[in-house]
Amino acid sequence: MRIKNVVKVMNFHSLLRVDASKREAESYRNVGDEITKIIKTIVYNKNLVLDKKVIMPNPNNNKLNIYIANDYGFCGNFNSQIARQIRQDKDDYKIIIGKKIVYNDDKVILKINKDDFSKELKKIEKTIDEAIRNSSYSEINLYYNHYNSSTSFEFKKLTLFPINFDGEYDTKNDFIIETDITSMLYSLLTFYIMYELKMCECISRAAENVIRNQITREALDKIDEIEIEQANELRKNKKEKLVKKTVENFKKISTREEEDG
């Protein structure tokens, strides 16, 4: 009974965390969509393209992948997909978020605990900013578990750089630029990548609590099954004892009647 109460508390807390993480992620997502539109308008402005100011990666360079895993228990499947992807990407450079991912090689440039994500954001931002300014990578990708609903999540890849080009340059807007446009674009791209990373970390947090909720709910169902089996076994034993006692009483009565007769 004590174990069941503990699991119930864990199940309840996972639901609370799903809701809190979802609300935080949604607040980022609403602004994030507008930020994406604004940055694409600037990055893919026709005049900047003509002036060859658009920042395009070298396709021959290595990729940089960011992986968001989980630090806590009850999330084996959650981390297994991340670990599998990391092993597949052995030739890519990596930023790994999550202490339970034990992978390490000379291409892991940064590894932090999930709990330390907020504290280490500046370190991640510095790494990303240097990568953008030095044109170090052909792509910057993010792998994480995406929250879909209170009952499901999916493993996802999101390309953060280069920003998705929809095939049309912006010709409706022009800008008066009073600063170094290249430096400004570097800063914008770093800001965009960090914003997306923060948003996806919230979504991932919601997803990890979905699986924790599923596992604790399954555990509660199993505990209920065991309790029912135990209750049935108890009733069966009581019934057997009652039948046995009844038979013994009947035998005693029969023996007494024979003796009296």
Side-chain angles (χ1 to χ4, degrees), residues 45-62:
N45 179 268
K46 187 175 182 179
N47 289 330
L48 292 183
V49 174
L50 291 173
D51 290 340
K52 301 187 184 304
K53 297 293 185 181
V54 174
I55 297 172
M56 297 301 292
N58 183 344
N60 297 319
N61 288 351
N62 291 105

Side-chain angles (χ1 to χ4, degrees), residues 17-250:
R17 293 188 187 109
V18 166
D19 190 54
S21 300
K22 180 187 172 187
R23 284 199 308 271
E24 187 179 357
E26 286 300 326
S27 67
Y28 279 104
R29 192 199 306 275
N30 294 336
V31 179
D33 291 342
E34 293 305 314
I35 288 174
T36 303
K37 290 178 186 176
I38 292 169
I39 290 180
K40 285 176 75 172
T41 298
I42 296 172
V43 169
Y44 293 115
N45 179 268
K46 187 175 182 179
N47 289 330
L48 292 183
V49 174
L50 291 173
D51 290 340
K52 301 187 184 304
K53 297 293 185 181
V54 174
I55 297 172
M56 297 301 292
N58 183 344
N60 297 319
N61 288 351
N62 291 105
K63 297 177 184 178
L64 171 64
N65 297 329
I66 305 171
Y67 308 88
I68 301 179
N70 166 261
D71 276 0
Y72 302 109
F74 293 101
C75 286
N77 185 49
F78 188 98
N79 281 344
S80 66
Q81 295 182 85
I82 297 287
R84 192 179 307 118
Q85 187 65 48
I86 290 173
R87 289 193 297 271
Q88 289 176 9
D89 301 336
K90 60 182 180 179
D91 295 327
D92 299 336
Y93 286 88
K94 304 166 185 70
I95 294 175
I96 300 174
I97 301 166
K99 66 182 179 184
K100 289 207 168 186
I101 301 297
V102 296
Y103 184 95
N104 202 6
D105 62 20
D106 59 353
K107 291 189 180 296
V108 177
I109 60 176
L110 191 60
K111 189 173 183 182
I112 64 173
N113 294 347
K114 180 76 174 293
D115 277 350
D116 296 334
F117 177 78
S118 295
K119 291 188 294 186
E120 300 287 0
L121 270 177
K122 286 293 182 185
K123 190 181 290 184
I124 299 173
E125 183 176 5
K126 182 174 182 291
T127 302
I128 296 297
D129 189 60
E130 289 175 355
I132 295 293
R133 292 178 186 276
N134 296 327
S135 300
S136 303
Y137 304 105
S138 59
E139 290 180 17
I140 299 177
N141 300 304
L142 173 64
Y143 290 92
Y144 71 107
N145 286 288
H146 184 84
Y147 170 91
N148 288 325
S149 70
S150 59
T151 57
S152 72
F153 66 91
E154 64 178 317
F155 184 59
K156 243 184 175 182
K157 172 188 175 182
L158 179 64
T159 297
L160 301 174
F161 176 75
I163 296 174
N164 179 46
F165 177 52
D166 55 18
E168 293 183 6
Y169 293 114
D170 179 69
T171 57
K172 300 175 184 176
N173 301 289
D174 201 359
F175 310 101
I176 297 174
I177 301 168
E178 297 182 351
T179 186
D180 178 0
I181 184 60
T182 304
S183 180
M184 185 192 79
L185 288 175
Y186 287 149
S187 297
L188 273 176
L189 287 170
T190 299
F191 171 74
Y192 168 76
I193 290 170
M194 294 304 299
Y195 196 94
E196 290 287 308
L197 177 58
K198 178 62 179 172
M199 179 176 68
C200 290
E201 189 273 334
C202 293
I203 296 172
S204 172
R205 213 182 315 140
E208 76 183 46
N209 281 291
V210 165
I211 192 168
R212 190 173 290 113
N213 177 256
Q214 290 173 351
I215 291 170
T216 52
R217 192 168 62 244
E218 288 170 4
L220 287 172
D221 290 342
K222 189 63 179 176
I223 291 171
D224 286 340
E225 285 179 20
I226 292 170
E227 287 180 345
I228 291 170
E229 287 175 4
Q230 289 175 340
N232 289 337
E233 188 67 25
L234 186 62
R235 279 194 293 270
K236 180 183 175 183
N237 290 339
K238 283 183 177 180
K239 189 174 180 180
E240 287 176 351
K241 286 180 181 179
L242 181 61
V243 169
K244 185 179 180 181
K245 188 174 182 180
T246 302
V247 170
E248 288 174 351
N249 288 337
F250 179 76

